[in-house]
Amino acid sequence: MIRDDVKIGKGTKIFHPDLVNLYGCEIGENCKIGAFVEIRKDVKIGNNVKIQAFAFIPEGVTIEDGVMIGPHVCFINDKYPRAINPDGTLKEDKDWKRGKILVKKGAG
């Protein structure tokens, strides 16, 4: 599923677009996105980035130009991820403290 609010740059190839989930993200030019990739809202991906199959990129991630994200890479945007609050209740969206993650140009 590729939502209408996704911005995709010129020359970017999404292999098997029916097998990806893209929500509110920005993908630069000349990127390659593999099958079974999920990219969440507010993610920014630079130009010439390759994201291989089964990668998960949550809110708060910025990937600069020329980066390679290998297969099965899973980012996390919370320093102390927990399913429940201290009182034992299940965490809801308002309970999360999302951090920012920056993958610098050329990393791979």
Side-chain angles (χ1 to χ4, degrees), residues 11 26-28 34 39-40 54 80 86 94 98-100 108:
E26 293 181 28
I27 301 171
I39 304 173
R40 296 284 184 94
F54 298 99
Y80 306 102
K94 64 181 172 59
R98 291 182 182 87
K100 299 283 184 188

Side-chain angles (χ1 to χ4, degrees), residues 83-91:
I84 59 173
N85 292 307
D87 66 0
T89 58
L90 191 61
K91 279 191 171 194

Side-chain angles (χ1 to χ4, degrees), residues 11 23 67 82 92 94 96 100 103 105:
Y23 312 95
V67 172
R82 302 285 185 268
E92 296 181 25
K94 64 181 172 59
W96 293 99
K100 299 283 184 188
V103 181
K105 182 177 179 178

Side-chain angles (χ1 to χ4, degrees), residues 1-106:
M1 174 175 81
I2 301 174
R3 282 198 353 200
D4 292 338
D5 58 355
V6 174
K7 295 177 185 172
I8 300 173
K10 217 167 58 172
T12 289
K13 294 180 183 166
I14 299 174
F15 299 94
H16 306 287
D18 53 327
L19 299 176
V20 298
N21 291 316
L22 307 178
Y23 312 95
C25 56
E26 293 181 28
I27 301 171
E29 295 182 355
N30 302 311
C31 296
K32 293 183 179 182
I33 311 293
F36 303 105
V37 168
E38 181 162 332
I39 304 173
R40 296 284 184 94
K41 66 181 179 176
D42 302 323
V43 170
K44 291 182 180 22
I45 296 174
N47 300 319
N48 303 309
V49 172
K50 183 177 183 180
I51 302 174
Q52 293 187 323
F54 298 99
F56 174 73
I57 306 172
E59 296 88 342
V61 175
T62 298
I63 298 172
E64 293 184 341
D65 297 345
V67 172
M68 199 289 256
I69 304 296
H72 297 275
V73 168
C74 183
F75 289 88
I76 189 163
N77 58 5
D78 186 340
K79 279 188 176 185
Y80 306 102
R82 302 285 185 268
I84 59 173
N85 292 307
D87 66 0
T89 58
L90 191 61
K91 279 191 171 194
E92 296 181 25
D93 209 34
K94 64 181 172 59
D95 300 317
W96 293 99
K97 292 181 182 170
R98 291 182 182 87
K100 299 283 184 188
I101 297 168
L102 174 62
V103 181
K104 295 288 222 166
K105 182 177 179 178

